[in-house]
């Protein structure tokens, strides 16, 4: 509170720039203060902060009520001074408020400052000041008018806000621009206190009109206010940006203050140009801001240009010119003080990852200076590696070698690591990098040697069978290694190249002596290395491998170490050939840049250049708390790279709900160890057809039962896993000296009672076969009865039903965004072909690493949908690659009622993690091919279902005649039983049967020339009706 008061005090003493009479008023307002200091007192204002009198409140009270203006002003200054240092002077509230009735501008400012501070604690007293506020809002002096409306906006008291509306409305249309710009900010403050009041009073529309104001500062403040309000209402379209508005903003950009420019540039960054021509035009008008003295303006301009460059063709001359123009301002930012340098470097780090060509010729700028703080040094080092290329690698390596001899240990470590990263990134430099690292090892500086060994291990991974000649030099330094990472790296090298090291067994045995004192990282690496050594030299190392397996399994409390030990033990004792294939398998090469930000996250961070998000390298949603929604921003044009974009016509075509698929809470909220599941190997054959019984993927419970607890249904038991051919390991006793035998777990057949229970869950009626949606017992076995004959006189079948058209299949939508799944994006849809329900998916890898070992699992759902086989992804999914996958589904899985009914919760596992999402399937996927009911049975069933179970809906804007509608619906297994025409209205009687035996009967009324249909649905489980209606709407409109 003290800080706020002091800031406001300084702000008002300073005043703000304005033109016209406002500027003169500010100048005039500061004059009395100067005169007072020179003429009225011999001391500065600091005297007000030094008094320690007792009984001061009574003296101040008397002075505040004095008839002399000067004495009154001195008293108010003393009150403000006391308030600033934290004393409670709220008892003087009525006396200070009485001082508002004055023409002295300085005194009025001080009283307003006091009011802002204490109005919240004295709301009833604050109302006394309202009349003065209203009066001041009509004062001839524009500074007083602005001061009054600003103060009223800062007083966060509900009782006062209603009195603020009329003065604020006048000030928004004031003739003086200084008043208008102050009123614009006041609207945002008022919206924060009472949003509904602002909307009802029409202030938002007035604020939008101010964007067209002739004064650039008014425009900037209007944009700032609208942006602030839009942040709390992410889905509102307050800033309706169009080419005309953009032109006005760009015009104001050249003339307003630096903060005004930042507001306008940030607003421009949210605009998506119509084409590359408009994008170029905006870039040309924003480019001059790059030479601004304020670094915040420069970064905001860079953000706009980085975003709009996405829309420019790379072969355009202007594109190359723009790249050249972006480099100098970024370089200039690095000549500022260290704190600003760091912010600039964090932003440059993002820019270089997106467009390294901007700064590819500016490597020297990022060379470290001796007096740079460590945080600046490390950031420069990171950017040097990102800019390293074949052209400049010699220069970079010479610099890094120099850094490795510095005294700062952390910096030296990073420099050595950087040399290794150069070797991995620029293949032509690898030999020179290895030579440099060997030179550093010869220095015998302990921490340098250890870092060098760690990075040489990575170089071996990147370039196998190329630099192994240096192993002898590494082994000489074995005794000096004391850091876990370096010891683990050295052990890996010895195990990996054991056949080339004569005394490999002795070296590894020396580590084994203190096995239990080593860190887990070293223990795991040592276990693997000795097993590798045994597989390469079995006769010489049998005792050594038995010793390490015994230490890992019987003497260790670490579950990871114990599990790995048992796996190796079993492999070696049952199938040494398989052990060799697993342990000595060819390893994938490590990627060039393992520390790049994920592309989707990078796109979002580029849109936040110049903000905290660009410094943290995290999206705003990761660190902004509170009720305000945070919008995820994307670069224009990036949607073409695998992002599914729905046209307005297909917005609801995906089926049942226009809401985006909800992402299930993060893995931390779910139960079970999901990362170390043993997955059945994928086969190369075609996917098996769905079966009513047999092996289901449910045997591998990827969900671990965790989702059930989220649904709040604890009464249902977890699904019973089926017997599989994959053996499951029982718990191993620690006392067993030899690997215990294991056999397939015996599990009984799947219990199908859950399917029958669905009837009770949904409609509360009896189960299938006892009236739950089933036709009477007299229904014939075959439903495919000819349409004509039997009930012609009742239904007046004027025309037969035509041939069915093809079934409607909704387009693919994004189910799992890459942002939520570490770079894995899944888009998909559901189809039904030849009676088989299929989940068609596109898996896209937007990460930097290869993805393998895919598996899928469903949670229990309303209709028992479950995978009928494993997810067939036959080849590894490389970065920026997409693979189509088709998963056949069965309907014999475990059942639990979902909300909405057609909601499906899915877990997908790969070699990186387990990811969760939910999607909604169109209920027509469950309509069986034998859903055509006999006419007599239809009539009897319609009468038999209670009228309370009938639901009626309107399908609007559908322009098909009844025959076309019937044909289209038949493609989705909605069968027309009969048709009759009554008073020009066609009535179609239809039936459909769900896979769990629920029957749905429908009456569709189609009036010629009327685009609105009426549909009545009858079902013993009325909860199904809403989904069926939505499906009708989707099929008929697409």
């Amino acid at each position: 509170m003290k800080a706020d008061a002091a800031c406001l005090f300084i702000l008002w003493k300073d005043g703000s720039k304005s033109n016209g009479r406002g500027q003169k008023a500010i100048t005039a307002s500061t004059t009395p203060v100067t005169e007072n200091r020179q003429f009225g007192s011999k001391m500065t204002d600091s005297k007000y902060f030094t008094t320690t009198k007792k009984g001061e409140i009574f003296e101040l009270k008397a002075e505040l009520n004095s008839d002399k203006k000067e004495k009154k002003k001195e008293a108010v200054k003393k009150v403000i001074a006391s308030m600033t240092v934290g004393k409670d002077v709220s008892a003087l509230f009525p006396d200070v408020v009485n001082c508002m009735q004055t023409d002295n501008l300085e005194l009025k400012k001080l009283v307003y400052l006091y009011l802002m501070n204490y109005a919240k604690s004295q709301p009833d007293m604050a109302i006394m000041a309202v009349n003065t506020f209203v009066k001041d809002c009509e004062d001839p002096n524009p500074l007083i008018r602005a001061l009054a409306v600003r103060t009223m906006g800062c007083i966060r008291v509900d009782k006062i806000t209603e009195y603020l509306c009329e003065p604020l409305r006048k000030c928004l249309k004031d003739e003086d621009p200084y008043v208008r710009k102050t009123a614009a900010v006041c609207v945002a403050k008022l919206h924060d206190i009472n949003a509904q009041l602002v909307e009802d009073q029409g202030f938002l529309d007035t604020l939008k009109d101010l964007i067209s104001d002739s004064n650039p500062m008014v425009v900037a403040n209007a944009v700032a206010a609208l942006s602030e309000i839009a942040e709390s209402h992410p889905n509102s379209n307050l800033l309706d940006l169009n080419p005309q508005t953009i032109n006005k903003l760009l015009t104001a950009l050249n003339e307003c203050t630096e903060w005004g420019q930042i507001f306008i540039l940030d607003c421009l960054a949210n605009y998506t140009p119509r084409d590359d021509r408009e994008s170029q035009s905006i870039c040309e008008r924003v480019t001059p801001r790059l030479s601004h003295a304020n670094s915040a303006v420069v970064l905001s301009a860079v953000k706009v240009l980085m975003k709009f460059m996405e829309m420019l063709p790379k072969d355009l001359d202007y594109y190359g010119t723009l790249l050249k123009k972006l480099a100098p301002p970024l370089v200039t930012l690095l000549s500022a003080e260290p704190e600003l340098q760091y912010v600039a470097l964090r932003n440059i780090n993002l820019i270089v990852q997106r467009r390294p060509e901007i700064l590819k010729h500016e490597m020297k700028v990022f060379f470290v200076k001796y007096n740079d703080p460590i945080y600046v040094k490390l950031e420069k080092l990171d950017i040097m590696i990102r800019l390293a290329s074949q052209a400049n690698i010699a220069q970079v390596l010479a610099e890094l070698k120099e850094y490795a001899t510095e005294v700062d240990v952390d910096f030296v470590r990073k420099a050595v690591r950087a040399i290794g990263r150069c070797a991995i990134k620029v293949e032509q430099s690898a030999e020179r990098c290895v030579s440099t690292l060997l030179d550093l090892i010869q220095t015998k500086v302990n921490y340098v040697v250890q870092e060098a060994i760690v990075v040489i291990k990575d170089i071996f991974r990147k370039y196998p069978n190329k630099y192994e000649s240096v192993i002898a030099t590494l082994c000489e330094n074995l005794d000096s290694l004391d850091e876990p990472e370096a010891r683990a790296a050295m052990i890996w090298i010895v195990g990996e190249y054991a056949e080339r090291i004569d005394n490999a067994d002795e070296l590894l045995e020396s580590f084994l002596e203190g096995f239990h004192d080593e860190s887990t990282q070293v223990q795991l690496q040592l276990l693997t290395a000795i097993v590798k050594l045994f597989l390469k030299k079995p006769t010489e190392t049998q005792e050594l491998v038995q010793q390490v397996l015994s230490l890992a399994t019987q003497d260790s409390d670490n579950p990871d170490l114990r599990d790995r030990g048992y796996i190796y033990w079993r492999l070696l004792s049952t199938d040494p050939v398989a052990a060799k294939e697993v342990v000595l398998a060819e390893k994938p090469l490590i990627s060039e840049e393992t520390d790049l930000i994920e592309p989707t996250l990078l796109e979002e961070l580029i849109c936040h250049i110049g903000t905290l998000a660009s410094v943290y390298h995290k999206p705003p949603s990761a660190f902004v708390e509170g009720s305000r929604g945070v919008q995820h921003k994307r670069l224009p044009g990036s949607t073409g790279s695998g992002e599914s974009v729905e046209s307005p016509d297909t917005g609801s075509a995906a089926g049942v709900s226009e809401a985006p698929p909800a992402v299930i809470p993060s893995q931390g909220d779910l139960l079970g160890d999901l990362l170390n599941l043993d997955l059945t190997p994928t086969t190369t054959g075609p996917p098996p057809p769905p079966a009513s019984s047999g092996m289901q993927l449910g045997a591998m419970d990827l969900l671990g039962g965790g989702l059930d607890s989220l649904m709040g249904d604890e009464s249902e038991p977890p699904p019973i896993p089926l017997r599989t051919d994959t053996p499951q390991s029982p718990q191993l006793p620690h006392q067993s000296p030899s690997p215990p035998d294991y056999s397939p777990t015996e599990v009984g057949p799947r219990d199908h009672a859950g399917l029958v229970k669905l009837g009770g869950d949904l409609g509360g009626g009896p189960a299938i076969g006892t009236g739950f949606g089933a036709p009477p017992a007299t229904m014939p076995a075959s439903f495919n009865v000819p349409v004509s004959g039997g009930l012609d006189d009742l239904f007046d079948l004027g025309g037969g039903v035509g041939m069915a058209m093809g079934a409607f299949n909704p387009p693919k939508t994004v189910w799992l965004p890459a942002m939520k799944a570490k770079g894995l994006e899944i888009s998909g849809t559901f189809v039904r072909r030849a009676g088989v329900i299929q989940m068609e998916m596109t898996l896209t890898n937007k990460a930097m690493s290869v993805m393998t070992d895919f598996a899928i699992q469903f949670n229990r759902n309303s209709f028992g949908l479950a995978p009928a086989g494993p997810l067939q992804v036959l080849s590894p999914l490389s970065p920026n690659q997409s693979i189509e996958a088709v998963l056949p589904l069965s309907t014999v899985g475990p059942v639990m009622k979902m909300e909405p009914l057609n909601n499906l919760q899915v877990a997908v596992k790969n070699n990186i993690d387990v990811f969760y999402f939910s999607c909604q399937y169109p209920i027509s996927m469950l309509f069986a091919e034998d859903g055509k009911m006999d006419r007599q049975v239809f009539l009897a069933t319609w009468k038999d279902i209670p009228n309370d179970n009938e639901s009626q809906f309107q399908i609007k804007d559908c322009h098909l005649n009844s025959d076309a509608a019937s044909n289209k619906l038949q493609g989705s297994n909605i069968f027309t039983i009969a048709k009759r025409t009554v008073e020009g209205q066609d009535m179609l009687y239809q039936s459909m049967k769900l896979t769990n035996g629920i029957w749905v009967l429908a009456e569709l009324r189609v009036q010629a020339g009327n685009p609105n249909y009426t549909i009545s649905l009858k079902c013993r489980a009325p909860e199904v009706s809403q989904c069926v209606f939505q499906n009708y709407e989707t099929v008929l409109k697409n």
Side-chain angles (χ1 to χ4, degrees):
M1 187 180 287
K2 287 192 287 183
D4 289 347
C7 289
L8 285 165
F9 194 29
I10 292 163
L11 179 66
W12 276 340
K13 297 268 289 209
D14 258 356
S16 304
K17 289 185 181 177
S18 179
N19 46 18
R21 288 179 297 163
Q23 176 62 44
K24 291 176 185 174
I26 294 166
T27 311
S29 72
T30 54
T31 308
V33 182
T34 313
E35 287 174 359
N36 182 54
R37 288 183 178 173
Q38 291 174 349
F39 178 76
S41 64
K42 295 178 182 177
M43 296 177 64
T44 63
D45 284 348
S46 61
K47 66 180 181 181
Y48 299 113
F49 296 91
T50 56
T51 178
T52 54
K53 288 181 184 177
K54 291 186 179 179
E56 194 177 17
I57 297 289
F58 297 104
E59 289 182 18
L60 289 172
K61 198 178 186 76
E63 289 177 20
L64 288 168
N65 292 310
S66 171
D67 295 333
K68 295 180 180 178
K69 288 185 179 179
E70 285 302 317
K71 203 166 186 179
K72 192 178 282 190
K73 188 164 69 175
E74 289 291 311
V76 175
K77 284 187 178 181
K78 290 177 186 175
V79 171
I80 297 297
S82 299
M83 181 181 81
T84 306
V85 297
K87 290 182 184 176
D88 182 13
V89 284
S90 58
L92 298 170
F93 197 95
D95 304 288
V96 175
V97 168
N98 287 336
C99 297
M100 286 178 72
Q101 305 292 339
T102 177
D103 298 330
N104 188 301
L105 186 59
E106 187 184 4
L107 180 57
K108 196 176 282 288
K109 284 182 182 180
L110 292 169
V111 173
Y112 279 178
L113 187 60
Y114 177 89
L115 272 173
M116 279 193 282
N117 204 30
Y118 283 115
K120 201 162 189 179
S121 60
Q122 307 264 0
D124 296 328
M125 299 292 290
I127 293 179
M128 291 166 51
V130 166
N131 286 335
T132 310
F133 281 133
V134 174
K135 184 180 173 185
D136 283 353
C137 285
E138 297 176 358
D139 193 274
N141 188 336
L143 189 63
I144 291 179
R145 296 202 297 274
L147 187 62
V149 78
R150 178 194 290 153
T151 308
M152 288 181 79
C154 291
I155 296 176
R156 303 178 64 82
V157 177
D158 290 336
K159 292 180 180 179
I160 289 184
T161 51
E162 55 191 84
Y163 299 104
L164 173 62
C165 294
E166 206 49 49
L168 180 58
R169 185 176 284 104
K170 289 179 182 176
C171 289
L172 282 167
K173 297 179 180 177
D174 197 279
E175 60 181 15
D176 194 282
Y178 180 70
V179 180
R180 294 200 299 276
K181 84 179 185 71
T182 308
V185 176
C186 188
V187 173
K189 291 178 179 177
L190 183 61
H191 188 274
D192 197 34
I193 302 167
N194 191 338
Q196 192 59 47
L197 181 68
V198 170
E199 291 168 20
D200 294 344
Q201 294 286 337
F203 289 141
L204 294 180
D205 294 328
T206 312
L207 211 51
K208 290 176 187 176
D209 294 340
L210 288 183
I211 291 179
S212 307
D213 198 276
S214 58
N215 186 281
M217 272 314 300
V218 177
V219 176
N221 278 20
V223 168
L226 284 169
S227 300
E228 178 78 15
I229 294 168
E231 278 183 23
S232 58
H233 293 73
N235 298 322
S236 64
N237 191 22
L238 288 176
L239 275 165
D240 184 17
L241 298 176
N242 53 52
Q244 292 74 29
T245 309
I246 293 297
N247 190 46
K248 290 170 186 172
L249 295 181
L250 288 167
T251 304
L253 185 63
N254 299 321
E255 300 176 42
C256 56
T257 64
E258 52 196 24
W259 293 113
Q261 291 180 32
I262 293 167
F263 290 135
I264 290 175
L265 288 168
D266 287 348
C267 181
L268 288 172
N270 293 325
Y271 177 63
T272 303
R274 294 167 301 175
D275 51 33
D276 57 345
R277 184 175 296 178
E278 186 185 5
S279 185
Q280 180 177 339
S281 171
I282 294 172
C283 288
E284 286 171 349
R285 296 177 71 177
V286 168
T287 306
R289 300 301 103 210
L290 293 173
S291 56
H292 201 282
N294 188 313
S295 54
V297 176
V298 174
L299 284 176
S300 293
V302 169
K303 171 169 63 181
V304 174
L305 296 174
M306 284 291 292
K307 185 173 180 182
F308 290 176
M309 277 174 74
E310 297 288 331
M311 297 190 68
L312 297 177
K314 292 195 175 182
D315 54 357
L316 195 69
D317 291 340
Y318 181 71
Y319 181 85
T321 308
L322 195 54
L323 287 178
K324 289 176 185 174
K325 285 183 177 178
L326 277 169
L330 293 173
V331 170
T332 306
L333 291 176
L334 299 182
S335 59
E337 52 267 31
E339 293 79 10
L340 279 179
Q341 276 189 57
Y342 179 72
V343 172
L345 286 166
R346 292 293 282 176
N347 282 275
I348 288 169
N349 201 325
L350 297 173
I351 292 165
V352 164
Q353 288 185 54
R354 185 73 186 177
R355 297 199 181 279
E357 62 269 27
I358 292 175
L359 291 163
K360 66 181 179 182
H361 300 303
E362 305 291 344
M363 176 64 82
K364 283 190 176 180
V365 179
F366 301 103
F367 285 176
V368 171
K369 297 174 184 173
Y370 75 95
N371 60 346
D372 280 339
I374 183 65
Y375 55 86
V376 171
K377 285 181 177 179
L378 296 178
E379 206 59 40
K380 282 184 174 180
L381 201 59
D382 199 32
I383 295 171
M384 280 172 65
I385 307 307
R386 299 202 192 286
L387 291 174
S389 63
Q390 193 174 347
N392 58 24
I393 194 67
Q395 197 180 21
V396 172
L397 276 179
E399 193 74 11
L400 292 175
K401 191 174 180 181
E402 192 71 29
Y403 299 160
T405 60
E406 292 273 345
V407 291
D408 190 319
V409 176
D410 286 338
F411 182 55
V412 170
R413 288 178 183 276
K414 292 281 185 182
V416 176
R417 290 271 173 121
I419 295 171
R421 284 173 62 189
C422 283
I424 290 166
K425 184 178 182 185
V426 186
E427 187 171 351
Q428 294 82 354
S429 74
E431 194 165 338
R432 187 181 296 177
C433 291
V434 171
S435 174
T436 306
L437 290 168
L438 287 175
D439 291 345
L440 292 172
I441 288 173
Q442 297 305 328
T443 62
K444 300 296 181 183
V445 178
N446 192 15
Y447 54 86
V448 174
V449 171
Q450 303 200 75
E451 286 295 332
I453 287 174
V454 171
V455 297
I456 286 174
K457 182 202 80 170
D458 290 339
I459 293 172
F460 285 169
R461 284 283 308 276
K462 177 71 176 176
Y463 309 109
N465 304 316
K466 200 168 182 182
Y467 301 108
E468 282 73 12
S469 57
V470 306
I471 291 174
T473 310
L474 302 181
C475 291
E476 291 170 10
N477 297 279
L478 206 60
D479 297 334
S480 64
L481 305 180
D482 55 14
E483 294 174 7
E485 193 174 4
R487 289 171 74 84
M490 192 67 227
I491 291 166
W492 181 87
I493 292 169
V494 173
E496 189 69 16
Y497 302 102
E499 70 278 8
R500 304 185 187 198
I501 304 172
D502 296 334
N503 61 337
D505 52 342
E506 293 174 17
L507 294 175
L508 293 176
E509 195 169 3
S510 66
F511 285 103
L512 206 56
E513 291 166 4
F515 185 79
H516 290 301
D517 299 327
E518 300 284 4
S519 69
T520 303
Q521 182 182 8
V522 176
Q523 288 177 335
L524 289 166
Q525 199 60 261
L526 188 56
L527 172 62
T528 303
I530 290 176
V531 171
K532 286 179 183 175
L533 177 64
F534 172 72
L535 291 168
K536 292 173 181 179
K537 301 178 180 179
T539 53
E540 304 166 29
T541 55
Q542 194 163 353
E543 287 183 13
L544 189 62
V545 78
Q546 285 180 343
Q547 186 183 353
V548 75
L549 287 173
S550 176
L551 286 169
T553 56
Q554 296 179 27
D555 302 341
S556 173
D557 293 330
N558 187 311
D560 292 334
L561 184 63
R562 224 171 40 234
D563 288 351
R564 189 181 291 193
Y566 276 124
I567 290 169
Y568 285 153
W569 198 334
R570 284 182 186 156
L571 275 170
L572 293 171
S573 59
T574 55
D575 192 348
V577 176
K580 207 163 191 173
E581 289 175 359
V582 171
V583 181
L584 301 180
E586 189 176 339
K587 294 161 190 63
L589 299 180
I590 60 176
S591 61
E592 291 180 6
E593 288 284 0
T594 53
D595 60 340
L596 284 176
I597 294 174
E598 295 288 352
T600 45
L601 175 58
L602 181 62
E603 283 187 11
E604 185 171 1
L605 293 178
I606 291 289
C607 295
H608 289 291
I609 283 177
T611 68
L612 272 178
S614 66
V615 179
Y616 290 153
H617 285 190
K618 292 180 180 179
S621 55
F623 60 87
V624 175
E625 295 181 354
S627 58
R628 293 188 174 187
V630 178
Q631 286 179 297
H632 292 288
K633 299 182 180 180
R634 300 293 294 275
L635 293 174
S638 59
T639 49
S641 60
E643 197 73 31
S644 175
V645 182
E646 291 185 14
S647 67
D649 300 325
T650 60
S652 60
V656 207
S657 173
E658 293 185 7
V663 177
I664 296 171
S666 64
Q667 300 91 300
D669 300 333
L670 300 165
L671 305 176
D673 182 10
L674 306 173
L675 299 178
N676 299 310
L677 294 172
D678 182 22
L679 298 178
T680 308
T682 55
T683 57
T684 55
S692 59
S693 63
M695 199 272 282
Q696 296 290 330
L697 199 65
M700 300 177 302
D701 187 9
L702 288 179
L703 297 171
L707 286 172
D708 299 340
S709 61
L710 290 179
M711 298 308 301
D713 182 3
E714 302 293 343
S715 60
E716 284 278 329
I720 302 171
L722 298 180
R723 183 190 317 198
T724 69
D725 295 332
T726 306
Q728 298 181 359
S729 307
Q731 183 62 41
L732 296 165
H734 290 287
Q735 296 78 12
S736 173
S738 61
D741 295 329
Y742 55 94
S743 57
T745 308
E746 295 296 329
V747 182
R750 184 181 294 274
D751 182 6
H752 293 277
L755 299 179
V756 181
K757 188 178 185 297
L758 177 63
D761 278 351
L762 290 176
I768 298 170
T770 58
F772 176 70
T778 56
M779 193 176 83
S782 172
F783 293 83
N784 299 318
V785 183
V787 172
S788 58
L791 290 178
D792 287 3
D793 54 336
L794 173 64
F795 286 104
D796 186 22
L797 296 177
V801 179
M803 293 296 293
M805 299 168 68
F808 166 71
N809 294 324
K812 287 182 180 177
T813 54
V814 177
W815 287 338
L816 181 64
M819 287 279 295
K820 301 282 186 181
K822 299 182 181 178
L824 172 64
E825 181 181 276
I826 300 178
S827 54
T829 186
F830 294 87
V831 299
R832 186 181 180 98
R833 293 195 175 96
V836 178
I837 305 171
Q838 294 177 330
M839 195 177 186
E840 294 187 348
M841 292 175 283
T842 302
L843 282 67
T844 304
N845 182 357
K846 294 191 175 182
M848 302 301 296
S849 54
V850 175
M851 295 181 181
T852 57
D853 305 331
F854 285 90
I856 194 166
Q857 175 70 33
F858 295 173
N859 194 22
R860 293 181 294 174
N861 52 81
S862 304
F863 296 95
L865 280 180
L871 180 60
Q872 301 279 349
V873 180
L874 302 180
S875 58
L877 187 55
S878 303
N880 298 317
Q881 183 190 357
S882 295
I883 287 183
E884 303 292 329
V886 178
L887 180 70
L889 306 180
S890 70
T891 54
V892 294
V895 175
M896 179 177 73
K897 184 181 176 183
M898 302 295 287
E899 187 59 46
L901 210 59
N902 57 336
N903 193 34
L904 181 65
Q905 295 178 336
V906 184
V908 173
K909 178 183 183 293
N910 62 13
N911 60 319
I912 295 172
D913 211 336
V914 180
F915 309 106
Y916 304 90
F917 65 90
S918 68
C919 54
Q920 293 177 11
Y921 48 90
I923 203 166
S924 59
M925 297 302 111
L926 305 172
F927 292 164
E929 280 68 19
D930 60 350
K932 188 169 185 180
M933 190 180 277
D934 179 82
R935 288 190 298 264
Q936 291 179 338
V937 175
F938 180 95
L939 196 59
T941 308
W942 184 278
K943 292 176 181 177
D944 190 45
I945 297 174
N947 289 332
D948 292 344
N949 285 21
E950 183 174 351
S951 305
Q952 197 169 81
F953 304 95
Q954 285 278 329
I955 302 175
K956 296 183 178 179
D957 299 322
C958 194
H959 301 278
L960 300 173
N961 61 33
S962 58
D963 289 339
S966 176
N967 293 343
K968 204 165 192 181
L969 292 167
Q970 190 165 334
S972 296
N973 292 340
I974 299 173
F975 298 99
T976 302
I977 309 300
K979 169 187 167 184
R980 65 176 179 148
T981 304
V982 178
E983 297 178 357
Q985 186 178 52
D986 291 340
M987 304 176 77
L988 302 178
Y989 296 92
Q990 298 171 319
S991 69
M992 61 224 80
K993 175 189 172 187
L994 276 70
T995 50
N996 61 353
I998 295 177
W999 285 85
V1000 183
L1001 310 184
E1003 179 190 69
L1004 182 65
R1005 300 175 196 171
V1006 181
Q1007 179 83 43
N1010 185 356
N1012 300 333
Y1013 298 174
T1014 303
I1015 182 171
S1016 300
L1017 297 171
K1018 264 196 170 187
C1019 179
R1020 295 194 189 277
E1023 289 88 346
V1024 176
S1025 298
Q1026 180 66 32
C1027 290
V1028 173
F1029 156 66
Q1030 289 171 335
N1031 190 75
Y1032 261 85
E1033 200 169 36
T1034 301
V1035 172
L1036 289 173
K1037 288 186 178 182
N1038 291 281

